[in-house]
Amino acid sequence: MASYVVMEPPERNPEQAVLVRDGFAILAFIAPFLWFLWHRMWLEALAAVAAALLLGALGALEGWSVAATVASLCLSLFFGLEARNLRVSMLKRRGWHEWGVVDADNRDEAETRFMAELVFADDEARQKTPSPALTDRPAPAKGFGRGSEPALGLFSYPGAR
């Protein structure tokens, strides 16, 4: 099961939210410059080209070819491991905010879970605002649903499902 970071745009339109899968990006490992350009990450693409040119120049020096090759492999490994985190950081720089994390088997299921959570949160918000006719009545007892106290000594963790 994969984790997806849900990023919402500055205008807080959930239909335009971007799901960024957490984990290793194989294309960013193989061709980081193209991966960054595909995702419109201009500063990161520029940094990748600058680092590649620097390592190429280092490899052209006599006696430094092995060190340049190892450094290039390490840099590619770094890009493969951190490319998706760099994408989340880029979105934050552009004013997007992190909504949360969704665990799912694929992107479609992650989108479905995200939208279901939005509907669930909207229903809870509507239930918390009392209508004028119900203000005199006592509050209903808590059930065993989400947000209730743990039963049988089980612990509840924030964000746990």
Side-chain angles (χ1 to χ4, degrees):
M1 187 170 289
S3 296
Y4 293 85
V5 178
V6 181
M7 299 295 293
E8 283 188 327
E11 54 272 357
R12 305 220 182 222
N13 185 359
E15 291 180 3
Q16 294 178 346
V18 173
L19 278 74
V20 180
R21 185 171 191 256
D22 192 27
F24 190 79
I26 189 75
L27 189 58
F29 172 74
I30 296 169
F33 178 70
L34 295 176
W35 193 89
F36 290 137
L37 286 181
W38 179 261
H39 293 288
R40 298 180 179 181
M41 300 170 67
W42 315 120
L43 295 175
E44 291 82 355
L46 185 63
V49 167
L53 289 175
L54 182 67
L55 290 175
L58 182 66
L61 296 175
E62 190 172 327
W64 286 90
S65 63
V66 174
T69 303
V70 170
S72 178
L73 181 64
C74 290
L75 184 66
S76 291
L77 188 62
F78 170 77
F79 284 140
L81 290 170
E82 293 296 322
R84 294 191 170 135
N85 292 334
L86 290 172
R87 185 171 180 211
V88 169
S89 297
M90 178 267 308
L91 289 170
K92 285 181 180 178
R93 279 195 320 261
R94 293 183 181 172
W96 292 56
H97 71 279
E98 187 175 332
W99 178 86
V101 177
V102 176
D103 294 327
D105 290 330
N106 55 36
R107 182 175 300 278
D108 292 335
E109 185 180 336
E111 288 175 357
T112 303
R113 287 185 178 193
F114 166 61
M115 294 308 276
E117 186 69 27
L118 283 178
V119 170
F120 181 74
D122 190 37
D123 287 345
E124 273 189 352
R126 270 192 250 127
Q127 288 176 0
K128 285 184 181 179
T129 57
S131 64
L134 298 178
T135 54
D136 313 5
R137 299 181 184 174
K142 282 190 173 182
F144 294 105
R146 186 178 182 140
S148 63
E149 296 296 320
L152 301 174
L154 300 175
F155 297 104
S156 77
Y157 297 100
R161 296 182 194 264

